[in-house]
């Protein structure tokens, strides 16, 4: 019997149910993944007991000699992975990584040029309902209606007209490759700092499956739990010249004690990402995404920009009655987990939406390949063609479960 089972049966049941949901269903949320047992173990370790405000060798508490080892390893490994001059592994999340960078370089009211949330940006890139939109003056750029690629004529034009202090690139729902070189040219032309948030594509960048922003950007932020396949958390990389301000913006500026168990788990994940298998894994994510995109199109679904260059795709539902929200619910009934998402030029509300975002990192982690992507495209096509046919959705859910049983997430854990 587990300790949680014995001490807290209600939480134990919730954990077991969530485990079953993950094991027996298809996780296609583009920002999710499944970590290794080693990452899981480090995240659940005794390091959670330790306070360690400060940085390795410069802490405000005693007894930090072992957590110093963990944090130093995390820093060195992340530097090696990305080729970064300086790394801070303490951000609790991607939002806090972004917040720390903004507050290290900008004053309230300064101007930022960043991607519109409904065109694929992130809440923390200046949405009016987020701290970033409340503290800073945000000029949004977007994609072109012609090809749904970032409209660099617009970015350049807005940069020239508005003279931003910082340009933010890197996105949460953009299925195409990002040209960091052009962003850098524009930033240099107007004398702006350049930040890339590579939360979604960090793993692809490490493996050379997406160009790296590191040579071009003053700051690069990421989460550690998406394609990078680590524990939930954030990371900041920056040029040496910004190091002092970034570190003090995280602590004491925005955070108190770092989560040492999570930092240890980040170190474990970075070691995995330095290994030979990681490149093959990232290549497979991209191959799977491209194959799934093709399968969805063969099943009559239309995709924003006509496909994908990375790990994600956006189904464009603007032409029909079926909304993003309803599609998400229909797929939930078939044990396929996705998220509804606004698409560029969406006329529906952000809660309803005309898009569905799908990604392949998690299904690729459990060993699925292109043949399985064809099957998944078929499941989704059938489900969305008959959204009110409960019998059919239950039938698809059974087929999904059979497929998932062939690809256990944690083979040593036994049957869910
Ligand atoms: N990173 C977001 C996502 O892409 O799902 C949530 O913050």
């Amino acid at each position: 019997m587990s300790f949680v089972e014995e001490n807290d049966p209600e939480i134990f049941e919730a954990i077991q149910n969530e485990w079953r949901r993950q094991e027996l269903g298809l996780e296609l949320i583009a920002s999710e993944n499944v970590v290794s047992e080693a990452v899981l173990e480090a995240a659940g370790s005794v390091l959670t007991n330790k306070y360690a405000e400060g940085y390795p060798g410069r802490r405000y508490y005693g007894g930090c000699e072992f957590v110093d080892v963990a944090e130093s390893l995390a820093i060195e490994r992340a530097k090696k992975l990305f080729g970064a001059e300086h790394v801070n592994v303490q951000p609790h999340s991607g939002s806090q990584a972004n917040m720390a960078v903004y507050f290290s370089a900008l004053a309230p009211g300064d101007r930022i040029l960043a991607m519109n949330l409904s065109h694929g940006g992130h809440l923390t890139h200046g949405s009016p309902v987020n701290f970033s939109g409340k503290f800073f003056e945000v000029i949004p750029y977007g994609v072109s209606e012609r090809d749904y690629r970032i409209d660099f004529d617009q970015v350049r034009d807005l940069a020239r007209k508005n003279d931003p202090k910082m340009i933010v690139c890197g996105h949460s729902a953009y299925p195409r490759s990002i040209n960091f070189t052009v962003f850098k040219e524009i930033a240099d032309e107007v004398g702006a700092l350049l930040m890339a948030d590579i939360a979604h594509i960090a793993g692809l960048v490490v493996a050379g499956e997406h160009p790296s922003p590191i040579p071009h950007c003053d700051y690069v932020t990421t989460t550690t739990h998406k394609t990078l396949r680590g524990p939930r958390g954030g990371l900041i990389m920056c040029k040496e010249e910004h190091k002092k301000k970034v570190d003090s913006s995280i602590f004491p500026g925005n955070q108190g004690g770092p989560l040492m168990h999570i930092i240890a788990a980040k170190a474990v994940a970075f070691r995995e990402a330095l290994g030979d298998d990681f490149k093959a894994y990232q290549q497979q994510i991209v191959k799977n995404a491209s194959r799934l995109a093709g399968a969805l199109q063969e099943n009559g679904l239309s995709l924003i920009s006509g496909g994908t260059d990375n790990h994600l795709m956006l189904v464009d539902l603007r032409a029909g009655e079926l909304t993003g929200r309803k599609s998400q619910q229909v797929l939930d009934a078939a044990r396929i987990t996705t998220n509804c998402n606004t698409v560029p030029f969406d006329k529906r509300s952000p809660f309803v939406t005309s898009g569905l975002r799908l990604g392949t990192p998690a299904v690729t982690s459990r060993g699925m390949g292109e043949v399985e992507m064809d099957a998944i495209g078929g499941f989704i096509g059938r489900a969305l063609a008959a959204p009110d046919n409960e019998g059919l959705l239950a039938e698809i859910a059974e087929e999904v479960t059979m497929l998932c049983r062939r690809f256990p997430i944690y083979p040593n854990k036994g049957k869910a």
Side-chain angles (χ1 to χ4, degrees):
M1 192 181 245
S2 84
F3 292 108
V4 181
E5 185 174 10
E6 201 174 326
N7 290 300
D8 195 334
E10 288 157 289
I11 288 294
F12 180 75
E13 195 184 339
I15 294 172
Q16 287 302 103
N17 286 340
E18 172 58 16
W19 154 237
R20 249 175 244 120
R21 188 194 69 78
Q22 291 183 16
E23 178 75 347
L24 302 180
L26 288 166
E27 185 53 74
L28 293 179
I29 292 181
S31 50
E32 293 189 13
N33 209 332
V34 288
V35 298
S36 70
E37 279 156 314
V39 169
L40 214 48
E41 188 179 322
S45 70
V46 295
L47 272 63
T48 194
N49 296 337
K50 189 71 197 99
Y51 249 121
E53 285 184 3
Y55 289 100
R58 290 178 292 124
R59 304 284 190 186
Y60 288 78
Y61 291 78
C64 289
E65 58 271 37
F66 303 115
V67 293
D68 273 5
V69 172
E71 183 163 347
S72 301
L73 282 170
I75 292 168
E76 286 318 308
R77 289 172 185 174
K79 276 171 129 172
K80 193 163 168 200
L81 261 184
F82 289 95
E85 288 178 21
H86 178 68
V87 165
N88 187 307
V89 296
Q90 293 193 1
H92 301 329
S93 68
S95 295
Q96 288 198 278
N98 290 349
M99 181 183 261
V101 168
Y102 297 152
F103 287 150
S104 76
L106 306 170
D110 276 352
R111 209 167 286 149
I112 304 180
L113 184 62
M115 178 90 130
N116 191 330
L117 179 61
S118 68
H119 285 219
H122 187 256
L123 263 182
T124 58
H125 298 180
S127 161
V129 296
N130 181 260
F131 78 88
S132 53
K134 295 184 202 289
F135 277 99
F136 306 107
E137 187 189 333
V138 181
I139 313 293
Y141 62 84
V143 297
S144 129
E145 202 156 3
R146 187 174 36 84
D147 60 4
Y148 292 84
R149 271 37 175 207
I150 291 167
D151 184 345
F152 278 112
D153 290 338
Q154 184 199 44
V155 178
R156 192 173 288 103
D157 198 39
L158 288 171
R160 284 176 181 160
K161 279 192 186 126
N162 294 286
D163 199 18
K165 182 112 185 257
M166 182 182 280
I167 298 179
V168 180
C169 58
H171 318 102
S172 288
Y174 184 63
R176 294 299 176 178
S177 191
I178 301 166
N179 192 334
F180 297 114
T181 313
V182 181
F183 274 112
K184 172 68 173 158
E185 280 165 18
I186 297 172
D188 281 350
E189 187 189 324
V190 300
L193 293 162
L194 183 61
M195 175 182 124
D197 175 347
I198 58 165
H200 269 262
I201 54 169
L204 271 55
V205 167
V206 163
E209 291 296 302
H210 188 289
S212 171
I214 296 285
H216 309 292
C217 293
D218 294 280
Y219 311 94
V220 176
T221 60
T222 182
T223 49
T224 46
H225 50 274
K226 298 186 175 89
T227 47
L228 203 48
R229 205 164 56 179
R232 300 194 78 87
L235 182 74
I236 303 173
M237 293 164 272
C238 66
K239 301 273 185 223
E240 193 68 24
E241 64 188 282
H242 303 303
K243 152 183 164 172
K244 258 188 128 152
K245 282 191 174 169
V246 162
D247 284 353
S248 64
S249 185
I250 278 289
F251 173 82
N254 285 287
Q255 291 185 178
L259 309 176
M260 297 316 303
H261 55 307
I262 297 300
I263 289 174
K266 286 175 186 172
V268 174
F270 298 157
R271 189 172 200 269
E272 290 174 358
L274 285 164
D276 294 339
D277 298 350
F278 197 71
K279 189 170 170 55
Y281 164 56
Q282 298 295 328
Q283 283 170 343
Q284 194 60 49
I285 290 178
V286 175
K287 277 191 208 159
N288 281 354
S290 162
R291 187 70 166 250
L292 179 59
L296 293 171
Q297 287 166 316
E298 275 164 29
N299 279 279
L301 293 162
S302 160
L303 299 181
I304 291 289
S305 83
T308 176
D309 296 329
N310 55 28
H311 64 300
L312 71 81
M313 63 218 71
L314 274 176
V315 179
D316 182 1
L317 300 162
R318 283 175 301 172
E321 292 293 304
L322 197 61
T323 66
R325 176 141 310 263
K326 170 80 177 172
S327 305
Q328 177 191 308
Q329 289 161 348
V330 166
L331 294 177
D332 272 341
R335 293 215 183 111
I336 300 171
T337 312
T338 60
N339 71 280
C340 61
N341 214 100
T342 48
V343 291
F345 315 105
D346 208 328
K347 292 205 166 58
R348 294 187 174 115
S349 82
F351 192 70
V352 177
T353 82
S354 301
L356 198 61
R357 189 184 65 163
L358 310 173
T360 53
V363 288
T364 307
S365 283
R366 62 194 294 176
M368 293 186 187
E370 285 129 297
V371 173
E372 287 72 38
M373 297 306 117
D374 290 341
I376 295 172
F379 296 150
I380 295 173
R382 279 159 62 206
L384 296 186
D388 297 313
N389 185 339
E390 285 174 22
L392 177 73
L393 297 180
E395 230 173 76
I396 298 171
E398 267 315 298
E399 291 175 53
V400 164
T401 300
M402 270 159 36
L403 172 65
C404 290
R405 285 213 187 276
R406 289 177 34 226
F407 295 91
I409 295 177
Y410 299 115
N412 298 330
K413 204 168 151 66
K415 221 172 155 195

